[in-house]
Amino acid sequence: VAAGDAVPWQVVDHYENPRNVGSLDRNAKNVGTGLVGAPACGDVMKLQVEVDENGRIVDARFKTFGCGSAIASSSLATEWVKGKTVDEALKIRNVDIAKELCLPPVKLHCSMLAEDAIKAALADYKLKQDPNKEESEKE
Amino acid sequence: AVPPLPRRLTAARPPSLPPFLPPSLPAGRSGDGGGALRPLYMDVQATTPLDPRVLDSMLPYLTACYGNPHSRTHAYGWESEAAMEKARRQVADLIGADSREIIFTSGATESNNMAIKGVARFYKSKKKHIITTQTEHKCVLDSCRSLETEGFRVTYLPVKKNGLIDLKELEAAFQPDTSLVSVMTVNNEIGVKQPIHDIGEICRARKVFFHTDAAQAIGKIPVDVNDMKIDLMSISGHKIYGPKGVGAIYVRRRPRVRLEPLQSGGGQERGLRSGTVPTPLAVGLGAACEVAQQEMEYDHKRISQLAQRLITKIMSEVPDVVMNGDREHRYPGCINLSFAYVEGESLLMALKDVALSSGSACTSASLEPSYVLRAIGTDEDLAHSSIRFGIGRFTTEEEVDYTVQKCIQHVKRLRDMSPLWEMVQDGIDLKSIKWTQH
């Protein structure tokens, strides 16, 4: 690994000082769980959000199987969604995550997976709130 | 005998060198890069530090004795040539060969290129087929691929789950126009030792040349070219505590192996490899071989003990750890372990005080996981979870213990952060999940 590949301190920080590692109760109605990626690809992220009655995200947790950049991306995602409404959180973009963590080009896919994890968690939450509406939308 | 140099021709005293640092220093925070503490070095398959005795042997040729060994007309040349020939003998002695069979090269990559392309091209009018394995070093595989574009046919033998080739499959692979078989002695990623004796017998019986990439083997395990019926062998300096930028190729004289040179020029090295032989590097390679011959038995015993210590400690404390490659037919100093449910690069980042490498895709420029692990049938997620530990001549027990302790600590921590570990603890079968595609 050449000097240019040295892990950015922002990435290392998320591992050394973890924030929001853990799990919420996936059976709770106001918790949305997103599971994205695949073990065969070396990247799996589980991201959970707890939403209050006003549609605001009050808590978030993550667990990740992946490189340092993947861990940092999902960790940062949980930090950013807290305090946002569901619609605001859907606007979080992978490029912002990558910029904040100084991810090199070869690691950009980690930030993309984190964005997918957020969307998957929120989609799961929405589905739980109104499964019938989802069904009719599909048709 | 080389006549002594007249006083007035000797060079001035070289400026004082910085204090010599021992190859391994204690671990500590390495954030500043230039500080006194550096990470522990546990990646000897990638490269090794210079043995102090090798450096000592090289210094005169990097300072006062700077002659070109091919200069026939003066003492600088004669002195340099004598040193080069002594180094050649030292390399030959290590492998049971004759000096005249050793050609200096820039490293094992060049030696592998010479062996494969050189032999194939020389005999191409009658022979067009080559046999090799799927776990060879990239330079061997790429040389073969390049020959395929020239019209040669190559059989890439698969390996069994333990990393060894199946001798029956090798026998079945021979064709009437096979010119060369190339199988590495010790694998650089998983440490397995191929059955070189048996392969040599099979090739000799069929009068097919046998080449072996012995970069990770010589100086560490006994290798004899006559005993093992080897016709060509690649040697690397920087894998055996010698300098980088030099290696050698052994080319058998009886029965004679011919090869088409890759590098044209003034005809040095019997016309097989033109170019000025870099005397200081050749001297270093020779010294490294001689030192390795002396230290081989002791090193092997000590490294075996340390390896056993590492494996036992880790596997007794951490569940779901897989050792990649055959348990028995291996070189002990190369240990490749997969830690299920933990990704390799994240573990390397966590073990920041230890220099290690991984078979994970994230650590390769191509983002593909190790092809060697894929060849032995490792599941892809375990390939992403692999770490290679290298134990060498200068590795201490404290370094092994520190590495083991940190590894156990961080594997546990990363498993606590892993959704896969969580699912397995909940009794979920990961193979039953439909993962999202990417």
Side-chain angles (χ1 to χ4, degrees), chain A residues 15 23 37 40 46 64 67 107, chain B residues 345 384 410 413 417 422 436:
Chain A
Y15 174 73
S23 299
K46 184 189 82 163
T64 294
C67 64
K107 294 293 185 187
Chain B
E345 204 235 78
H384 286 296
H410 287 285
R413 188 156 165 199
M417 295 174 77
E422 186 182 57
T436 61

Side-chain angles (χ1 to χ4, degrees), chain B residues 394-412:
Chain B
F394 301 107
T395 311
T396 65
E397 194 174 276
E398 289 101 320
E399 288 173 334
V400 169
D401 287 347
Y402 181 92
T403 302
V404 163
Q405 181 211 349
K406 288 288 163 185
C407 181
I408 292 171
Q409 178 191 343
H410 287 285
V411 166
K412 288 185 173 163

Side-chain angles (χ1 to χ4, degrees), chain B residues 142-157:
Chain B
D142 208 49
S143 297
C144 289
R145 218 167 307 282
S146 154
L147 285 177
E148 284 185 296
T149 67
E150 288 176 29
F152 291 87
R153 296 178 333 271
V154 182
T155 299
Y156 301 91
L157 291 173

Side-chain angles (χ1 to χ4, degrees), chain B residues 172-329:
Chain B
F174 280 94
Q175 292 174 20
D177 67 339
T178 304
S179 61
L180 182 71
V181 168
S182 179
V183 179
M184 71 199 313
T185 315
V186 170
N187 184 277
N188 56 307
E189 288 201 37
I190 56 180
V192 295
K193 245 183 353 188
Q194 298 293 347
I196 298 295
H197 264 109
D198 297 328
I199 299 171
E201 292 268 0
I202 291 172
C203 292
R204 190 56 68 81
R206 288 161 180 73
K207 293 198 167 33
V208 172
F209 293 131
F210 174 35
H211 163 254
T212 185
D213 175 359
Q216 296 284 351
I218 64 146
K220 298 183 178 139
I221 56 171
V223 173
D224 186 293
V225 292
N226 292 314
D227 212 33
M228 297 170 164
K229 300 188 171 60
I230 294 169
D231 299 306
L232 296 125
M233 182 195 286
S234 302
I235 291 161
S236 171
H238 72 112
K239 306 289 164 50
I240 55 168
Y241 311 94
K244 294 172 181 55
V246 69
I249 180 172
Y250 158 77
V251 184
R252 179 175 283 281
R253 290 181 88 231
R254 298 235 177 90
R256 192 126 173 256
V257 178
R258 306 292 303 277
L259 60 91
E260 208 184 84
L262 287 181
Q263 191 147 303
S264 316
Q268 290 84 5
E269 299 298 278
R270 303 183 180 274
L272 293 181
R273 203 279 186 179
S274 293
T276 301
V277 171
T279 302
L281 297 179
V283 163
L285 175 61
C289 288
E290 186 173 287
V291 167
Q293 195 165 15
Q294 289 161 4
E295 304 281 0
M296 201 188 308
E297 198 186 320
Y298 178 82
D299 277 354
H300 194 274
K301 199 164 160 196
R302 207 182 66 90
I303 289 170
S304 299
Q305 283 171 354
L306 288 177
Q308 202 45 56
R309 189 184 178 88
L310 185 148
I311 295 168
T312 307
K313 279 193 169 198
I314 290 179
M315 291 184 116
S316 64
E317 284 260 355
V318 182
D320 300 308
V321 179
V322 175
M323 179 142 116
N324 297 307
D326 196 88
R327 283 258 180 171
E328 239 189 85
H329 300 281

